[in-house]
Amino acid sequence: MTDTVQPATEASTAAKTTLDINDIQRLLPHRFPFLLIDRIVELDRKKRIVAIKNVTINEPFFAGHFPGMPVMPGVLIVEAMAQAGGVLLFTEVEDRESKLVLFTGIERAKFRRPVVPGDQLRIEVDVRVWRGNAGRMEGAAYVGDKLAAEALVSCRLVNRLRAAPTSSPETAGS
């Protein structure tokens, strides 16, 4: 059995209501170990997105958080909410190769229960305010039917800056 990955066109990615990891990677610049969503199971443009994060013991943060009692850091759960919101925002952006979605705020973050290896995190993000280059979204993360975390996140679409060279002929060897 062979799997063939077909490249998604801009239009087909924007029109889909579910996305796999390949579709997500076409939209977000994040990569391992910082890509924190595995699948989009619901996408209602400019309104709502539902993402899945399969939490495994192989996550690099579990080595130190906490030895003998691994717990997913709450800040990474909020980051997963922001990434889901970023997917939702990026489905509306045509020139996303030249853009980044940056966090601009986190409000009312609450952590209700630990998320541990073996859990499947369902991240639900609803748009509260949407402008062409900014958004405010309400996120909730569930394990099964139990609320694990919630937060209001805001973000802004910015131009991606070109990385400055690390050395030039004038500074080489300094």
Side-chain angles (χ1 to χ4, degrees), residues 4 7 20 30 44 76 161:
T4 305
D20 65 19
H30 304 75
D44 187 359
L76 294 182
L161 300 175

Side-chain angles (χ1 to χ4, degrees), residues 75-159:
V75 68
L76 294 182
I77 298 170
V78 175
E79 172 65 24
M81 289 177 199
Q83 288 181 17
V87 167
L88 188 61
L89 180 59
F90 264 144
T91 60
E92 303 301 318
V93 175
E94 291 180 24
D95 61 337
R96 62 182 159 263
E97 295 298 320
S98 66
K99 305 289 185 190
L100 282 176
V101 177
L102 299 179
F103 250 139
T104 57
I106 304 167
E107 298 174 48
R108 299 193 306 241
K110 291 192 169 55
F111 305 97
R112 306 291 184 178
R113 68 173 300 259
V115 175
V116 299
D119 285 347
Q120 185 177 70
L121 205 56
R122 189 179 76 254
I123 301 138
E124 300 181 5
V125 177
D126 293 297
V127 173
R128 294 295 168 237
V129 177
W130 186 276
R131 294 190 182 98
N133 67 344
R136 175 178 227 132
M137 296 167 263
E138 187 173 344
Y142 296 87
V143 175
D145 61 352
K146 293 188 166 93
L147 181 64
E150 58 190 318
L152 236 141
V153 297
S154 49
C155 61
R156 179 168 300 279
L157 189 66
V158 299
N159 288 324

